[in-house]
Amino acid sequence: MENEAKKRILSGIQPTGSFTLGNYIGAVRNWSSLQTDFDSLYMVADLHALTVRQNPAELRRHTREAAAMLLATGIDPQQSILFIQSHVPAHTQLSWILSCNTQFGDLSRMTQFKDKSAKHADNVNAGLFTYPALMAADILLYNADLVPVGADQKQHLEMTRNVAQRFNNLYSPTFNMPEPYISKTGAKVMSLQEPDKKMSKSDTNVNGFVLMTDDADTILRRFKRAVTDSDGIVRAGDDKPGVTNLMTIYGSLTGKDFAAIEKEFEGQGYGTFKEAVAQSVIDTFTPIQAEYSRILEDKEYLDGVLAEGAQKASRIAERTLRKVYKKVGLLQL
Ligand code: ATP
Ligand code: LTN
């Protein structure tokens, strides 16, 4: 079988709202290009989304929209397995076992936990804390070789590797060691308003992000308002975080490197540059948006893809789970 020779990929995204340009450049756009060379599984991480308060009706809608958006970006259900995390119960089952093999001290060092508990001080729940154990289960159930994510998830990947290593040493070799796959450019797209902060869909300042569902006017407006600096020169550098971020976005979408971009906008103000960046985003998102609307309207097709995805993913996941249950000493009848 052809698939047996291929390495396996797994990644996930939370249905906490429309995807941002950061989600697209840092993670999602790589997924469809990897699916031909890898045996790929892509998941909408709805259980992870519950770690912050969700409106039930909205979560349901966002989950469906997230799946439709992934298909619209080119994930092909004939090549990849696309599924919803909660449709495969093995994720929560393995996550319990892994959380019993994850140390409190390690979890307290997670940057995302610290950030999110500061942001949601009224709801620092146990799920937010044990989030990495569920993420480790997502990855280890499928023995993924590679996990394509943005730079902010690197720490969770290291945690997954530690848990896998500890489990393998304590019992016997069970899990594969997954490697993060982080693209060289655009692994951390910054907020358009505070370029020292990552662009995030849950930012309270809407001017900080661009959504994949935004129309052309909104996209243009966001870029026109983007924070830059006062020297008016299109050049990358640590002293110019705003402009560098815009160059990263433009470069990721057009394939041009920093030197080419500097040359292209030499002697021109930020106005022209910002318009060009906005246009590159509009050109990328317009065809995806058309496809997205089409898929979202075809409920039968979308549900069919997700049902099949859940079935295929479960088959792989349950095999791993059974092995783990046996190894840790759970009684099997
Ligand atoms: P939230 O704001 O709800 O925490 P998020 O926008 O950070 O969500 P996630 O669902 O947590 O999105 O992330 C999905 C993927 O997108 C992950 O691989 C993550 O690393 C990547 N990602 C998120 N934000 C960015 C960003 N600004 N730049 C590059 N990659 C990003
Ligand atoms: N924690 C990830 C989403 C996620 C994920 C995964 C990514 C959940 N499970 C498994 C890769 C592999 C995030 O982006 N916040």
Side-chain angles (χ1 to χ4, degrees), residues 13 17-25 27-29 65-66 68-70 72-74 199 201 209-216 219 281-282 284-290 292:
I13 184 156
S18 277
F19 300 165
T20 66
L21 177 63
N23 295 137
Y24 179 72
I25 293 178
V28 171
R29 80 164 169 163
E65 288 174 354
M69 188 55 97
L70 292 178
T73 62
M199 181 183 285
K201 54 187 173 240
F209 55 77
V210 167
L211 299 177
M212 290 186 74
T213 46
D214 280 340
D215 59 28
I219 296 174
V281 176
I282 294 166
T284 307
F285 286 171
T286 304
I288 297 177
Q289 289 174 356
Y292 169 71

Side-chain angles (χ1 to χ4, degrees), residues 14 16 22-23 116 149-150 152-153 187 189 198-202:
Q14 302 183 74
T16 39
N23 295 137
K116 292 216 168 167
V149 283
D152 64 309
Q153 294 300 313
V189 176
K198 127 181 150 136
M199 181 183 285
S200 164
K201 54 187 173 240
S202 49

Side-chain angles (χ1 to χ4, degrees), residues 69-259:
M69 188 55 97
L70 292 178
L71 291 169
T73 62
I75 289 173
D76 172 6
Q78 306 292 333
Q79 290 192 70
S80 302
I81 301 178
L82 174 68
F83 67 102
I84 309 293
Q85 188 181 31
S86 68
H87 294 178
V88 182
H91 289 250
T92 38
Q93 292 169 304
L94 180 62
S95 127
W96 177 255
I97 312 275
L98 296 181
S99 60
C100 295
N101 287 281
T102 303
Q103 301 308 305
F104 183 93
D106 292 340
L107 289 172
S108 1
R109 278 190 284 279
M110 294 295 115
T111 313
Q112 184 178 295
F113 172 68
K114 289 191 239 174
D115 289 351
K116 292 216 168 167
S117 40
K119 208 155 141 190
H120 307 276
D122 57 334
N123 184 23
V124 184
N125 61 76
L128 192 61
F129 189 63
T130 59
Y131 182 116
L134 178 58
M135 181 158 159
D138 299 337
I139 297 165
L140 300 177
L141 272 176
Y142 302 94
N143 276 309
D145 298 291
L146 278 187
V147 183
V149 283
D152 64 309
Q153 294 300 313
K154 196 165 174 237
Q155 204 183 24
H156 288 160
L157 249 297
E158 275 157 19
M159 182 96 188
T160 301
R161 289 168 59 88
N162 289 342
V163 175
Q165 185 86 60
R166 212 170 303 131
F167 190 98
N168 287 352
N169 290 343
L170 204 55
Y171 300 97
S172 60
T174 310
F175 298 122
N176 203 16
M177 282 299 147
E179 299 278 347
Y181 176 95
I182 298 171
S183 54
K184 279 183 208 81
T185 53
K188 197 168 185 187
V189 176
M190 309 312 271
S191 156
L192 300 181
Q193 290 297 309
E194 294 165 88
D196 56 331
K197 262 180 42 187
K198 127 181 150 136
M199 181 183 285
S200 164
K201 54 187 173 240
S202 49
D203 195 337
T204 47
N205 184 352
V206 295
N207 289 320
F209 55 77
V210 167
L211 299 177
M212 290 186 74
T213 46
D214 280 340
D215 59 28
D217 283 351
T218 308
I219 296 174
L220 187 60
R221 204 162 354 104
R222 296 274 191 273
F223 280 102
K224 280 191 173 164
R225 284 194 189 162
V227 168
T228 46
D229 49 53
S230 55
D231 77 2
I233 298 166
V234 177
R235 172 179 62 77
D238 290 344
D239 54 330
K240 292 167 71 69
V243 172
T244 306
N245 188 38
L246 296 179
M247 289 175 71
T248 302
I249 294 169
Y250 187 63
S252 313
L253 299 181
T254 59
K256 295 173 184 170
D257 63 17
F258 279 175

